[in-house]
Amino acid sequence: MEEKIVEADGETGAEDALVGNVNKLMVTPPGYSGAPRKGHLVFDACFESGNLGRVDYINDFEFDLFIRPDTCNPRFRVWFNFTVENVRETQRVIFNIVNFSKTKSLYRDGMSPVVKSTSRPKWQRLPPKNVYYYRCPDHRRNYVMSFAFCFDREDDVFQFAYCYPYTYSRLQHYLASLERKNLPYVQREQLGLSVQQRRLDLLTITNSV
């Protein structure tokens, strides 16, 4: 596993310049020059439906996270999905998603992010009491969602997401399984391809009787 080690000082780079997802990004304290240690968190979002463009180190327990905007709408920033590894057992952290674009969010009404890990592959919601959504003057008055988490297994890779991910590949597998059943009341047609050369499907569903 190739890891990229950076020192995050909280001011480097511009939020608007996020052009790609972090890729096995190890975040160390400013000025640290020793060997990587357990607890120097490694962030990754280079996978399907992943989104995390930048990580700023605040202290050993707190990190500011910047999400990338939607591909066709640079002003819309909501979705996040990333993994964290190289954790210490019982390591407690606060993650701040600092550049949400929405003024209203279900996070204000009790919704919470989801998490899973390699040894517990089923998505679970974080306790709502550990999640806070607020407007922050320190981040251009953007809306911030902060959540606290305690890592409990050092060998696990933990994954956090805005909500349950449903990827394009998963959808295509499902549609292909429907086609293989040859159901008389379901017809799948390809209308064309997207800008990124992905299928645009038309489903026609009629009465099964």
Side-chain angles (χ1 to χ4, degrees):
M1 176 180 68
E2 182 181 354
E3 293 175 347
K4 184 180 182 182
I5 302 176
V6 300
E7 297 175 3
D9 58 12
E11 300 294 337
T12 305
E15 172 190 333
D16 296 334
L18 302 178
V19 294
N21 282 321
V22 296
N23 182 9
K24 297 298 183 183
L25 179 71
M26 178 177 285
V27 180
T28 61
Y32 182 82
S33 58
R37 300 185 307 191
K38 275 287 187 182
H40 289 166
L41 301 184
V42 176
F43 295 83
D44 185 43
C46 280
F47 51 85
E48 188 176 15
S49 83
N51 186 6
L52 181 63
R54 171 180 152 194
V55 181
D56 285 357
Y57 174 94
I58 305 301
N59 55 50
D60 285 345
F61 311 100
E62 187 171 4
F63 301 82
D64 282 354
L65 311 181
F66 294 78
I67 54 180
R68 296 183 302 111
D70 281 5
T71 301
C72 296
N73 189 347
R75 299 180 64 182
F76 196 75
R77 300 179 305 276
V78 173
W79 177 257
F80 63 86
N81 186 6
F82 61 92
T83 64
V84 181
E85 57 188 294
N86 197 47
V87 306
R88 283 197 323 271
E89 190 172 350
T90 72
Q91 182 177 4
R92 297 178 182 273
V93 295
I94 296 175
F95 291 146
N96 307 308
I97 312 289
V98 301
N99 62 336
F100 272 108
S101 61
K102 293 182 68 175
T103 58
K104 297 181 180 180
S105 172
L106 290 175
Y107 285 135
R108 285 182 164 178
D109 299 319
M111 190 177 101
S112 60
V114 294
V115 61
K116 68 176 183 176
S117 69
T118 46
S119 67
R120 289 158 294 190
K122 184 177 179 179
W123 288 106
Q124 297 182 10
R125 288 202 179 274
L126 298 177
K129 66 180 181 179
N130 294 346
V131 181
Y132 307 90
Y133 193 82
Y134 55 96
R135 197 165 194 173
C136 182
D138 295 334
H139 295 287
R140 304 183 186 178
R141 294 189 59 77
N142 283 324
Y143 283 84
V144 174
M145 191 273 291
S146 299
F147 63 91
F149 189 78
C150 181
F151 298 107
D152 58 353
R153 298 183 184 180
E154 289 193 354
D155 295 329
D156 271 16
V157 177
F158 294 81
Q159 185 173 352
F160 301 90
Y162 177 88
C163 195
Y164 306 106
Y166 193 89
T167 63
Y168 170 82
S169 293
R170 182 177 175 184
L171 172 63
Q172 291 301 309
H173 286 312
Y174 175 67
L175 295 180
S177 70
L178 286 181
E179 276 192 310
R180 287 193 295 270
K181 293 180 180 179
N182 293 316
L183 300 173
Y185 51 88
V186 177
Q187 182 179 3
R188 180 190 187 193
E189 302 174 73
Q190 181 176 323
L191 294 179
L193 297 175
S194 71
V195 174
Q196 297 177 326
Q197 300 303 300
R198 295 186 173 95
R199 282 183 61 115
L200 300 176
D201 286 297
L202 171 66
L203 292 183
T204 304
I205 302 173
T206 59
N207 198 319
S208 60
V209 178

